[in-house]
Amino acid sequence: MANFKGHALPGSFFLIVGLWWSVKYPLKYFHQKGKKSRLNHHHQRLEIIEAAIRTLFSVIGILAEQFVPDGPHLHLYHENHWMKLMNWQHSTMYLFFAVSGIVDMLTYLVTHIPLGIDRLVMAVSIFTEGFLFYYHVHNRPPLDQHIHSLLLFALFGGSASVSLEVIFRDNIVLELFRTSLAILQGTWFWQIGFVLFPPFGTPEWDQKDEANIMFITMCFCWHYLVAICIVATNYALVYCLLSRLKTHGGGEIIGIQKLKSDDTYQTALLSGSDEE
Amino acid sequence: MANFKGHALPGSFFLIVGLWWSVKYPLKYFHQKGKKSRLNHHHQRLEIIEAAIRTLFSVIGILAEQFVPDGPHLHLYHENHWMKLMNWQHSTMYLFFAVSGIVDMLTYLVTHIPLGIDRLVMAVSIFTEGFLFYYHVHNRPPLDQHIHSLLLFALFGGSASVSLEVIFRDNIVLELFRTSLAILQGTWFWQIGFVLFPPFGTPEWDQKDEANIMFITMCFCWHYLVAICIVATNYALVYCLLSRLKTHGGGEIIGIQKLKSDDTYQTALLSGSDEE
Amino acid sequence: MANFKGHALPGSFFLIVGLWWSVKYPLKYFHQKGKKSRLNHHHQRLEIIEAAIRTLFSVIGILAEQFVPDGPHLHLYHENHWMKLMNWQHSTMYLFFAVSGIVDMLTYLVTHIPLGIDRLVMAVSIFTEGFLFYYHVHNRPPLDQHIHSLLLFALFGGSASVSLEVIFRDNIVLELFRTSLAILQGTWFWQIGFVLFPPFGTPEWDQKDEANIMFITMCFCWHYLVAICIVATNYALVYCLLSRLKTHGGGEIIGIQKLKSDDTYQTALLSGSDEE
Amino acid sequence: MANFKGHALPGSFFLIVGLWWSVKYPLKYFHQKGKKSRLNHHHQRLEIIEAAIRTLFSVIGILAEQFVPDGPHLHLYHENHWMKLMNWQHSTMYLFFAVSGIVDMLTYLVTHIPLGIDRLVMAVSIFTEGFLFYYHVHNRPPLDQHIHSLLLFALFGGSASVSLEVIFRDNIVLELFRTSLAILQGTWFWQIGFVLFPPFGTPEWDQKDEANIMFITMCFCWHYLVAICIVATNYALVYCLLSRLKTHGGGEIIGIQKLKSDDTYQTALLSGSDEE
């Protein structure tokens, strides 16, 4: 869907996921600190719901790409011509995210699936998106090519970061990094929509102007800065909320009182040495 | 052997290896969980047989490349001309896999060979295949070049993943990832054969058509999706089989009853802390 | 600021930071060895002051880039033209370093921020600088392009190294490596200034001469050698100073007496196993 | 020194180092296994001697490059011309290896130098060699360029591997990998000499023939295979020698009797958990 909506929709999808993660991971982090339990049932149910919603979103994405009026309607090859390969490629991207969502659900539902598989499949999904984008943007005007290729930094960076989570699972720094890249991807899709398909009758961008490309490069950095600020703000809000709840209610909600003596967390995570 | 058979044969080789691994690693994983023993004699013998078969396959590959009617018959240089360098390059690839198989055998047979060497040599073999392919595909039509270069993703990805196993040995996630890439490679070789040398009299593909290249890129992702599904199915089948065996027979076959309290497996692996 | 000052100022900034680090990290290392305490209050205050100064420097950099006579004065777009994008890009680089400084301060001031976030944001800042430089140097004369692109080795190397510190925090080797790259960057900025904008009326360099490019490549290696020597010298000086202080004063200042039995430090760090 | 000797000399240097390492590391490995002591004085003295010899070799290399009859004799710039930059670049490479040798010596001589610094500087030296080679080979005939660029695989691979040793020190697999790459580099330098400057009056190679390039690519793989075989042979010889010595002499020389129960070595190394 090479129009404004076709970029606004995935943009919103990634933005929602990123914003949700920027609340979920701080919540999980403070909870774990307090209770020293790895994964309680409440949290597990939340993860399953999240994965289900992500799967649902992806399926909607596939259906949208296939059954928009000018879509391929599940026809791939017709009269010696490939049908709407662009839509098929987008469907493939959504399909991988659907698979990633399903694997996430299964990992929490079925106990004999090894942890880490969910992260691996997620990394593969993100990589596939980048992989398809990489071969996607040849033979386009310079600005179009450049603005899409910047996305690859977020995608391959995210894929590498999620791969690391296979080994360093539940590392809050990696989780927040992933969150920030998801938000970046979301806002950048919106930016692409605004630049390539100006929605409110604003004038077209000159696709060959070197200054435009230079601005877009810098603009990408600003987007990431905004993503960092959003993650930081939500992290702080979650902390404030939890500490207020604790003051008013019981002392079991979060484990902030233990934070001070706990700065060896990362090393301990790495070694898995349980403090018995 | 630039024909259909020359791609179907290595394709079948990698496919068989991948399918076997997709049964072996889940089996090993469930066994280890149950018995907490690293490597019993039964498993060790299996590994040696597998490595021997891989070596045998590779030797057959070398012989086939050398002694097909239009092969070099071990002549490398003749009358100021290199003889059939294509076949020699393929022989070299098989040679590395043969060496990898031999080192695998030795690692299990001879106790004073450090663990990890087998993985390192396997990583080197896969890298060498990618390395030779990389310089292999210059000066060909675009589609030919593209369809071969996609293989490099599977090869270099696999090489990196196997290298990680030097450090993180027996990590089920890395093993399943390697398995999926082996299957991908196998099915992709078949795909290359079907595209470049249509076997059943189907029409030739236009090697310069941009749409064909675009489809092939997407098709590669679908192959990987199929590979993931195969690995997942076999994993589930192995689990079902083992749990049925356990119900009917004794309780010592697998350790599934311990799985629930064992989700810190990975961290423990990383730290090597034995629970004594 | 495409002139000598525009390179001398950031060069001095990175040089000062690098020199300071080459004193700070050895100091911290010897202290930690002695006391076995992770982070005392004295050290913490020092880190906060350092981060504050880095933030201040970065803010000065932003203001300088914006309000020099030929700067954009915070105007980004004016009469269908982007205003002074070069200065805006430099401002963006400084902005990221300012954010990194703020996050560093917060990590030490606020106990509920996970350790590692500061390193991640620093890695992102350095990466962003490299990212902007990468797209910065197109369409320039060969020597200009080459001399700037060499900087990318220091930047991407530094970014990768700092990312590793997220996992392997307080690893003296990584810290000294980062230090040496900071010094390299500092001296190389000065070198760029001298080559592209000869300050003392020395003749212009021929920007297309292959020999000049060849010399500059080698010169970059020499700069790094000098950086290594500076780090080594400061390391030795800190050691001598501390051991002299110890001889004259009490025995509690450093822990050199424990160094001999402590060469398993790195492994222990990796496992986080405390010797109790 | 663009002639046969100029490639044979560094080739011999790397070959000797590689062969020596292929004896040293197995020796060290079996010793450590037996005695469970990290580093005894005997071994330490050996390391210092090795580093001293490497430093000496490098200094000889520098002097040879500078003071051969057509060398620059320490003149860098003369009458508006850079003097013999090729020789200066080679001198720079040797200089880095000299620094690496000195740092190695210091690490074993001075106890307050953190372990890992020696590996870092070695990785930097190897990277620098690759870095200079990378910019070295532009504007040459295709075969010349290709044969030199293959060296980069050995160099950047070696640099990455040695960097890993900063974290995973004393890992026998990484050490043997480094050893094999050193031997590869040594034999490849000889190969370059034979191809570009045929010494015994053999005919010149056609520098533009595609088949020659194809053969050289494959030949590089064969060289690595030979390097693997050499390392494996020396490993086996060291083992045989040590076990024979043990049978005839006392039982304290090697710890092979402990090898069987010790296949969790790598994991243990990773966690640093001492068996108390």
Side-chain angles (χ1 to χ4, degrees), chain B residues 82 85 88-89 92 95-96 112 114-115 124 166 269 271, chain D residues 211-212 215 218 221-222 235 239 259 263 266-267 271:
Chain B
W82 298 107
L85 280 179
W88 274 103
Q89 289 210 344
T92 304
L95 185 55
F96 268 87
H112 68 276
L115 284 178
V124 166
V166 172
L269 180 82
S271 75
Chain D
N212 280 340
F215 167 73
M218 185 171 55
C221 299
W222 295 354
Y235 188 94
Y239 174 75
L259 282 177
D263 51 9
Q266 284 201 330
T267 328
S271 73

PDB file of all heavy atoms in Angstrom, chain B residues 82 85 88-89 92 95-96 112 114-115 124 166 269 271, chain D residues 211-212 215 218 221-222 235 239 259 263 266-267 271:
ATOM      1  N   TRP B  82      43.496 -24.147 -16.229  1.00  0.00           N
ATOM      2  CA  TRP B  82      42.905 -24.759 -15.041  1.00  0.00           C
ATOM      3  C   TRP B  82      41.765 -25.645 -15.518  1.00  0.00           C
ATOM      4  O   TRP B  82      40.966 -25.246 -16.352  1.00  0.00           O
ATOM      5  CB  TRP B  82      42.371 -23.688 -14.086  1.00  0.00           C
ATOM      6  CG  TRP B  82      43.433 -22.777 -13.581  1.00  0.00           C
ATOM      7  CD1 TRP B  82      43.642 -21.493 -13.928  1.00  0.00           C
ATOM      8  CD2 TRP B  82      44.443 -23.110 -12.626  1.00  0.00           C
ATOM      9  NE1 TRP B  82      44.724 -20.975 -13.260  1.00  0.00           N
ATOM     10  CE2 TRP B  82      45.234 -21.957 -12.448  1.00  0.00           C
ATOM     11  CE3 TRP B  82      44.764 -24.259 -11.899  1.00  0.00           C
ATOM     12  CZ2 TRP B  82      46.315 -21.919 -11.575  1.00  0.00           C
ATOM     13  CZ3 TRP B  82      45.831 -24.223 -11.027  1.00  0.00           C
ATOM     14  CH2 TRP B  82      46.610 -23.059 -10.879  1.00  0.00           C
ATOM     15  N   LEU B  85      37.354 -25.655 -12.848  1.00  0.00           N
ATOM     16  CA  LEU B  85      37.510 -25.087 -11.509  1.00  0.00           C
ATOM     17  C   LEU B  85      36.220 -25.154 -10.705  1.00  0.00           C
ATOM     18  O   LEU B  85      36.237 -25.272  -9.479  1.00  0.00           O
ATOM     19  CB  LEU B  85      38.008 -23.644 -11.613  1.00  0.00           C
ATOM     20  CG  LEU B  85      39.510 -23.538 -11.852  1.00  0.00           C
ATOM     21  CD1 LEU B  85      39.914 -22.077 -11.974  1.00  0.00           C
ATOM     22  CD2 LEU B  85      40.277 -24.182 -10.704  1.00  0.00           C
ATOM     23  N   TRP B  88      36.167 -28.320  -8.967  1.00  0.00           N
ATOM     24  CA  TRP B  88      37.176 -28.286  -7.911  1.00  0.00           C
ATOM     25  C   TRP B  88      36.694 -27.488  -6.706  1.00  0.00           C
ATOM     26  O   TRP B  88      36.917 -27.866  -5.563  1.00  0.00           O
ATOM     27  CB  TRP B  88      38.490 -27.696  -8.449  1.00  0.00           C
ATOM     28  CG  TRP B  88      39.354 -28.732  -9.090  1.00  0.00           C
ATOM     29  CD1 TRP B  88      39.534 -28.952 -10.421  1.00  0.00           C
ATOM     30  CD2 TRP B  88      40.148 -29.718  -8.420  1.00  0.00           C
ATOM     31  NE1 TRP B  88      40.389 -29.999 -10.630  1.00  0.00           N
ATOM     32  CE2 TRP B  88      40.790 -30.496  -9.405  1.00  0.00           C
ATOM     33  CE3 TRP B  88      40.397 -30.029  -7.091  1.00  0.00           C
ATOM     34  CZ2 TRP B  88      41.647 -31.547  -9.108  1.00  0.00           C
ATOM     35  CZ3 TRP B  88      41.240 -31.071  -6.775  1.00  0.00           C
ATOM     36  CH2 TRP B  88      41.855 -31.825  -7.780  1.00  0.00           C
ATOM     37  N   GLN B  89      36.011 -26.365  -6.983  1.00  0.00           N
ATOM     38  CA  GLN B  89      35.487 -25.570  -5.859  1.00  0.00           C
ATOM     39  C   GLN B  89      34.453 -26.364  -5.073  1.00  0.00           C
ATOM     40  O   GLN B  89      34.458 -26.354  -3.836  1.00  0.00           O
ATOM     41  CB  GLN B  89      34.868 -24.269  -6.389  1.00  0.00           C
ATOM     42  CG  GLN B  89      35.904 -23.291  -6.912  1.00  0.00           C
ATOM     43  CD  GLN B  89      35.484 -21.843  -6.754  1.00  0.00           C
ATOM     44  OE1 GLN B  89      34.314 -21.563  -6.534  1.00  0.00           O
ATOM     45  NE2 GLN B  89      36.417 -20.931  -6.863  1.00  0.00           N
ATOM     46  N   THR B  92      36.126 -28.815  -2.953  1.00  0.00           N
ATOM     47  CA  THR B  92      36.714 -28.183  -1.770  1.00  0.00           C
ATOM     48  C   THR B  92      35.666 -28.006  -0.676  1.00  0.00           C
ATOM     49  O   THR B  92      35.922 -28.257   0.502  1.00  0.00           O
ATOM     50  CB  THR B  92      37.314 -26.817  -2.155  1.00  0.00           C
ATOM     51  OG1 THR B  92      38.257 -27.028  -3.201  1.00  0.00           O
ATOM     52  CG2 THR B  92      37.992 -26.162  -0.985  1.00  0.00           C
ATOM     53  N   LEU B  95      35.094 -31.225   0.867  1.00  0.00           N
ATOM     54  CA  LEU B  95      36.280 -31.609   1.630  1.00  0.00           C
ATOM     55  C   LEU B  95      36.224 -31.019   3.032  1.00  0.00           C
ATOM     56  O   LEU B  95      36.509 -31.697   4.033  1.00  0.00           O
ATOM     57  CB  LEU B  95      37.533 -31.132   0.887  1.00  0.00           C
ATOM     58  CG  LEU B  95      38.882 -31.531   1.469  1.00  0.00           C
ATOM     59  CD1 LEU B  95      38.973 -33.030   1.630  1.00  0.00           C
ATOM     60  CD2 LEU B  95      40.019 -31.029   0.596  1.00  0.00           C
ATOM     61  N   PHE B  96      35.822 -29.741   3.107  1.00  0.00           N
ATOM     62  CA  PHE B  96      35.736 -29.113   4.422  1.00  0.00           C
ATOM     63  C   PHE B  96      34.691 -29.801   5.286  1.00  0.00           C
ATOM     64  O   PHE B  96      34.885 -29.990   6.484  1.00  0.00           O
ATOM     65  CB  PHE B  96      35.436 -27.616   4.286  1.00  0.00           C
ATOM     66  CG  PHE B  96      36.665 -26.782   4.255  1.00  0.00           C
ATOM     67  CD1 PHE B  96      37.339 -26.525   3.076  1.00  0.00           C
ATOM     68  CD2 PHE B  96      37.167 -26.255   5.437  1.00  0.00           C
ATOM     69  CE1 PHE B  96      38.481 -25.759   3.066  1.00  0.00           C
ATOM     70  CE2 PHE B  96      38.311 -25.481   5.435  1.00  0.00           C
ATOM     71  CZ  PHE B  96      38.969 -25.238   4.243  1.00  0.00           C
ATOM     72  N   HIS B 112      40.917 -36.439  24.927  1.00  0.00           N
ATOM     73  CA  HIS B 112      41.749 -35.277  25.207  1.00  0.00           C
ATOM     74  C   HIS B 112      41.642 -34.165  24.155  1.00  0.00           C
ATOM     75  O   HIS B 112      42.428 -33.226  24.163  1.00  0.00           O
ATOM     76  CB  HIS B 112      43.212 -35.689  25.407  1.00  0.00           C
ATOM     77  CG  HIS B 112      43.847 -36.177  24.153  1.00  0.00           C
ATOM     78  ND1 HIS B 112      43.722 -37.479  23.725  1.00  0.00           N
ATOM     79  CD2 HIS B 112      44.597 -35.556  23.222  1.00  0.00           C
ATOM     80  CE1 HIS B 112      44.381 -37.627  22.594  1.00  0.00           C
ATOM     81  NE2 HIS B 112      44.912 -36.490  22.270  1.00  0.00           N
ATOM     82  N   PRO B 114      39.808 -30.943  23.100  1.00  0.00           N
ATOM     83  CA  PRO B 114      38.924 -30.026  23.828  1.00  0.00           C
ATOM     84  C   PRO B 114      37.574 -29.888  23.124  1.00  0.00           C
ATOM     85  O   PRO B 114      37.517 -29.734  21.896  1.00  0.00           O
ATOM     86  CB  PRO B 114      39.692 -28.705  23.828  1.00  0.00           C
ATOM     87  CG  PRO B 114      40.675 -28.821  22.723  1.00  0.00           C
ATOM     88  CD  PRO B 114      40.990 -30.273  22.575  1.00  0.00           C
ATOM     89  N   LEU B 115      36.501 -29.941  23.905  1.00  0.00           N
ATOM     90  CA  LEU B 115      35.174 -29.693  23.353  1.00  0.00           C
ATOM     91  C   LEU B 115      35.134 -28.284  22.761  1.00  0.00           C
ATOM     92  O   LEU B 115      35.735 -27.363  23.301  1.00  0.00           O
ATOM     93  CB  LEU B 115      34.126 -29.786  24.461  1.00  0.00           C
ATOM     94  CG  LEU B 115      33.759 -31.199  24.913  1.00  0.00           C
ATOM     95  CD1 LEU B 115      32.755 -31.111  26.038  1.00  0.00           C
ATOM     96  CD2 LEU B 115      33.172 -31.982  23.759  1.00  0.00           C
ATOM     97  N   VAL B 124      33.858 -23.178  10.513  1.00  0.00           N
ATOM     98  CA  VAL B 124      34.803 -22.871   9.435  1.00  0.00           C
ATOM     99  C   VAL B 124      34.315 -23.501   8.124  1.00  0.00           C
ATOM    100  O   VAL B 124      34.380 -22.871   7.059  1.00  0.00           O
ATOM    101  CB  VAL B 124      36.217 -23.362   9.806  1.00  0.00           C
ATOM    102  CG1 VAL B 124      37.115 -23.372   8.593  1.00  0.00           C
ATOM    103  CG2 VAL B 124      36.810 -22.487  10.886  1.00  0.00           C
ATOM    104  N   VAL B 166      30.684 -22.639  20.294  1.00  0.00           N
ATOM    105  CA  VAL B 166      31.976 -22.897  20.934  1.00  0.00           C
ATOM    106  C   VAL B 166      31.903 -22.454  22.391  1.00  0.00           C
ATOM    107  O   VAL B 166      32.372 -23.141  23.304  1.00  0.00           O
ATOM    108  CB  VAL B 166      33.106 -22.144  20.201  1.00  0.00           C
ATOM    109  CG1 VAL B 166      34.405 -22.254  20.979  1.00  0.00           C
ATOM    110  CG2 VAL B 166      33.279 -22.682  18.800  1.00  0.00           C
ATOM    111  N   LEU B 269      23.150 -22.740  32.657  1.00  0.00           N
ATOM    112  CA  LEU B 269      24.118 -23.215  31.681  1.00  0.00           C
ATOM    113  C   LEU B 269      25.256 -22.231  31.569  1.00  0.00           C
ATOM    114  O   LEU B 269      26.434 -22.582  31.549  1.00  0.00           O
ATOM    115  CB  LEU B 269      23.458 -23.372  30.313  1.00  0.00           C
ATOM    116  CG  LEU B 269      24.422 -23.879  29.252  1.00  0.00           C
ATOM    117  CD1 LEU B 269      24.552 -25.374  29.351  1.00  0.00           C
ATOM    118  CD2 LEU B 269      23.970 -23.473  27.882  1.00  0.00           C
ATOM    119  N   SER B 271      26.342 -20.140  33.677  1.00  0.00           N
ATOM    120  CA  SER B 271      27.230 -20.043  34.830  1.00  0.00           C
ATOM    121  C   SER B 271      27.872 -21.371  35.169  1.00  0.00           C
ATOM    122  O   SER B 271      28.850 -21.416  35.904  1.00  0.00           O
ATOM    123  CB  SER B 271      26.453 -19.554  36.036  1.00  0.00           C
ATOM    124  OG  SER B 271      25.646 -20.591  36.528  1.00  0.00           O
TER     125      SER B 271
ATOM    126  N   ALA D 211      40.122 -17.142 -14.367  1.00  0.00           N
ATOM    127  CA  ALA D 211      40.367 -18.492 -13.843  1.00  0.00           C
ATOM    128  C   ALA D 211      41.461 -18.484 -12.784  1.00  0.00           C
ATOM    129  O   ALA D 211      41.387 -19.222 -11.795  1.00  0.00           O
ATOM    130  CB  ALA D 211      40.738 -19.436 -14.980  1.00  0.00           C
ATOM    131  N   ASN D 212      42.479 -17.642 -12.984  1.00  0.00           N
ATOM    132  CA  ASN D 212      43.520 -17.538 -11.967  1.00  0.00           C
ATOM    133  C   ASN D 212      42.947 -17.064 -10.647  1.00  0.00           C
ATOM    134  O   ASN D 212      43.268 -17.599  -9.577  1.00  0.00           O
ATOM    135  CB  ASN D 212      44.612 -16.562 -12.428  1.00  0.00           C
ATOM    136  CG  ASN D 212      45.591 -17.207 -13.396  1.00  0.00           C
ATOM    137  OD1 ASN D 212      45.691 -18.436 -13.438  1.00  0.00           O
ATOM    138  ND2 ASN D 212      46.278 -16.398 -14.172  1.00  0.00           N
ATOM    139  N   PHE D 215      41.059 -19.836  -9.057  1.00  0.00           N
ATOM    140  CA  PHE D 215      41.924 -20.832  -8.439  1.00  0.00           C
ATOM    141  C   PHE D 215      42.488 -20.323  -7.128  1.00  0.00           C
ATOM    142  O   PHE D 215      42.542 -21.051  -6.119  1.00  0.00           O
ATOM    143  CB  PHE D 215      43.066 -21.213  -9.380  1.00  0.00           C
ATOM    144  CG  PHE D 215      44.133 -21.989  -8.683  1.00  0.00           C
ATOM    145  CD1 PHE D 215      43.909 -23.317  -8.326  1.00  0.00           C
ATOM    146  CD2 PHE D 215      45.346 -21.409  -8.335  1.00  0.00           C
ATOM    147  CE1 PHE D 215      44.874 -24.045  -7.645  1.00  0.00           C
ATOM    148  CE2 PHE D 215      46.308 -22.127  -7.657  1.00  0.00           C
ATOM    149  CZ  PHE D 215      46.075 -23.450  -7.315  1.00  0.00           C
ATOM    150  N   MET D 218      40.194 -20.626  -4.207  1.00  0.00           N
ATOM    151  CA  MET D 218      40.104 -21.996  -3.709  1.00  0.00           C
ATOM    152  C   MET D 218      41.385 -22.383  -2.983  1.00  0.00           C
ATOM    153  O   MET D 218      41.362 -23.055  -1.950  1.00  0.00           O
ATOM    154  CB  MET D 218      39.868 -22.927  -4.884  1.00  0.00           C
ATOM    155  CG  MET D 218      39.648 -24.356  -4.518  1.00  0.00           C
ATOM    156  SD  MET D 218      39.124 -25.281  -5.958  1.00  0.00           S
ATOM    157  CE  MET D 218      40.437 -24.924  -7.110  1.00  0.00           C
ATOM    158  N   CYS D 221      41.523 -21.581   0.605  1.00  0.00           N
ATOM    159  CA  CYS D 221      40.848 -22.567   1.461  1.00  0.00           C
ATOM    160  C   CYS D 221      41.757 -23.750   1.732  1.00  0.00           C
ATOM    161  O   CYS D 221      41.808 -24.275   2.840  1.00  0.00           O
ATOM    162  CB  CYS D 221      39.563 -23.050   0.802  1.00  0.00           C
ATOM    163  SG  CYS D 221      38.376 -21.742   0.517  1.00  0.00           S
ATOM    164  N   TRP D 222      42.481 -24.181   0.717  1.00  0.00           N
ATOM    165  CA  TRP D 222      43.393 -25.303   0.898  1.00  0.00           C
ATOM    166  C   TRP D 222      44.484 -24.961   1.908  1.00  0.00           C
ATOM    167  O   TRP D 222      44.862 -25.796   2.732  1.00  0.00           O
ATOM    168  CB  TRP D 222      44.021 -25.717  -0.445  1.00  0.00           C
ATOM    169  CG  TRP D 222      43.048 -26.246  -1.432  1.00  0.00           C
ATOM    170  CD1 TRP D 222      41.723 -26.499  -1.222  1.00  0.00           C
ATOM    171  CD2 TRP D 222      43.302 -26.606  -2.786  1.00  0.00           C
ATOM    172  NE1 TRP D 222      41.141 -26.971  -2.364  1.00  0.00           N
ATOM    173  CE2 TRP D 222      42.087 -27.051  -3.345  1.00  0.00           C
ATOM    174  CE3 TRP D 222      44.431 -26.577  -3.591  1.00  0.00           C
ATOM    175  CZ2 TRP D 222      41.973 -27.470  -4.671  1.00  0.00           C
ATOM    176  CZ3 TRP D 222      44.328 -26.998  -4.904  1.00  0.00           C
ATOM    177  CH2 TRP D 222      43.097 -27.444  -5.441  1.00  0.00           C
ATOM    178  N   TYR D 235      49.240 -30.888  17.930  1.00  0.00           N
ATOM    179  CA  TYR D 235      48.460 -31.150  19.133  1.00  0.00           C
ATOM    180  C   TYR D 235      48.607 -32.620  19.529  1.00  0.00           C
ATOM    181  O   TYR D 235      48.872 -32.945  20.693  1.00  0.00           O
ATOM    182  CB  TYR D 235      46.997 -30.801  18.872  1.00  0.00           C
ATOM    183  CG  TYR D 235      46.114 -30.855  20.089  1.00  0.00           C
ATOM    184  CD1 TYR D 235      45.882 -29.701  20.826  1.00  0.00           C
ATOM    185  CD2 TYR D 235      45.505 -32.027  20.504  1.00  0.00           C
ATOM    186  CE1 TYR D 235      45.083 -29.723  21.945  1.00  0.00           C
ATOM    187  CE2 TYR D 235      44.704 -32.068  21.622  1.00  0.00           C
ATOM    188  CZ  TYR D 235      44.489 -30.910  22.342  1.00  0.00           C
ATOM    189  OH  TYR D 235      43.698 -30.939  23.450  1.00  0.00           O
ATOM    190  N   TYR D 239      50.569 -34.377  22.795  1.00  0.00           N
ATOM    191  CA  TYR D 239      49.862 -35.305  23.685  1.00  0.00           C
ATOM    192  C   TYR D 239      50.629 -36.622  23.831  1.00  0.00           C
ATOM    193  O   TYR D 239      50.840 -37.111  24.943  1.00  0.00           O
ATOM    194  CB  TYR D 239      48.456 -35.563  23.148  1.00  0.00           C
ATOM    195  CG  TYR D 239      47.730 -36.609  23.928  1.00  0.00           C
ATOM    196  CD1 TYR D 239      47.208 -36.306  25.188  1.00  0.00           C
ATOM    197  CD2 TYR D 239      47.587 -37.904  23.442  1.00  0.00           C
ATOM    198  CE1 TYR D 239      46.561 -37.260  25.933  1.00  0.00           C
ATOM    199  CE2 TYR D 239      46.945 -38.875  24.186  1.00  0.00           C
ATOM    200  CZ  TYR D 239      46.437 -38.555  25.427  1.00  0.00           C
ATOM    201  OH  TYR D 239      45.804 -39.489  26.176  1.00  0.00           O
ATOM    202  N   LEU D 259      41.264 -36.118  32.572  1.00  0.00           N
ATOM    203  CA  LEU D 259      40.553 -35.572  31.424  1.00  0.00           C
ATOM    204  C   LEU D 259      39.136 -36.104  31.284  1.00  0.00           C
ATOM    205  O   LEU D 259      38.232 -35.388  30.883  1.00  0.00           O
ATOM    206  CB  LEU D 259      41.327 -35.873  30.135  1.00  0.00           C
ATOM    207  CG  LEU D 259      42.522 -34.967  29.919  1.00  0.00           C
ATOM    208  CD1 LEU D 259      43.263 -35.390  28.680  1.00  0.00           C
ATOM    209  CD2 LEU D 259      42.088 -33.530  29.819  1.00  0.00           C
ATOM    210  N   ASP D 263      34.885 -32.914  31.121  1.00  0.00           N
ATOM    211  CA  ASP D 263      34.376 -32.307  29.891  1.00  0.00           C
ATOM    212  C   ASP D 263      33.458 -31.127  30.133  1.00  0.00           C
ATOM    213  O   ASP D 263      32.904 -30.567  29.206  1.00  0.00           O
ATOM    214  CB  ASP D 263      33.705 -33.358  29.000  1.00  0.00           C
ATOM    215  CG  ASP D 263      32.710 -34.165  29.753  1.00  0.00           C
ATOM    216  OD1 ASP D 263      32.407 -33.816  30.900  1.00  0.00           O
ATOM    217  OD2 ASP D 263      32.251 -35.149  29.194  1.00  0.00           O
ATOM    218  N   GLN D 266      34.796 -26.086  29.740  1.00  0.00           N
ATOM    219  CA  GLN D 266      34.473 -24.775  29.157  1.00  0.00           C
ATOM    220  C   GLN D 266      33.444 -24.019  29.969  1.00  0.00           C
ATOM    221  O   GLN D 266      33.586 -22.837  30.233  1.00  0.00           O
ATOM    222  CB  GLN D 266      33.930 -24.979  27.756  1.00  0.00           C
ATOM    223  CG  GLN D 266      35.035 -25.293  26.805  1.00  0.00           C
ATOM    224  CD  GLN D 266      34.588 -24.995  25.419  1.00  0.00           C
ATOM    225  OE1 GLN D 266      33.413 -25.103  25.117  1.00  0.00           O
ATOM    226  NE2 GLN D 266      35.481 -24.590  24.584  1.00  0.00           N
ATOM    227  N   THR D 267      32.400 -24.723  30.337  1.00  0.00           N
ATOM    228  CA  THR D 267      31.369 -24.080  31.116  1.00  0.00           C
ATOM    229  C   THR D 267      31.958 -23.551  32.407  1.00  0.00           C
ATOM    230  O   THR D 267      31.676 -22.438  32.840  1.00  0.00           O
ATOM    231  CB  THR D 267      30.265 -25.100  31.432  1.00  0.00           C
ATOM    232  OG1 THR D 267      30.180 -25.998  30.353  1.00  0.00           O
ATOM    233  CG2 THR D 267      28.967 -24.423  31.677  1.00  0.00           C
ATOM    234  N   SER D 271      32.196 -19.670  34.010  1.00  0.00           N
ATOM    235  CA  SER D 271      31.615 -19.210  35.266  1.00  0.00           C
ATOM    236  C   SER D 271      32.674 -18.935  36.320  1.00  0.00           C
ATOM    237  O   SER D 271      32.410 -18.272  37.307  1.00  0.00           O
ATOM    238  CB  SER D 271      30.655 -20.252  35.806  1.00  0.00           C
ATOM    239  OG  SER D 271      31.409 -21.336  36.304  1.00  0.00           O
TER     240      SER D 271
END
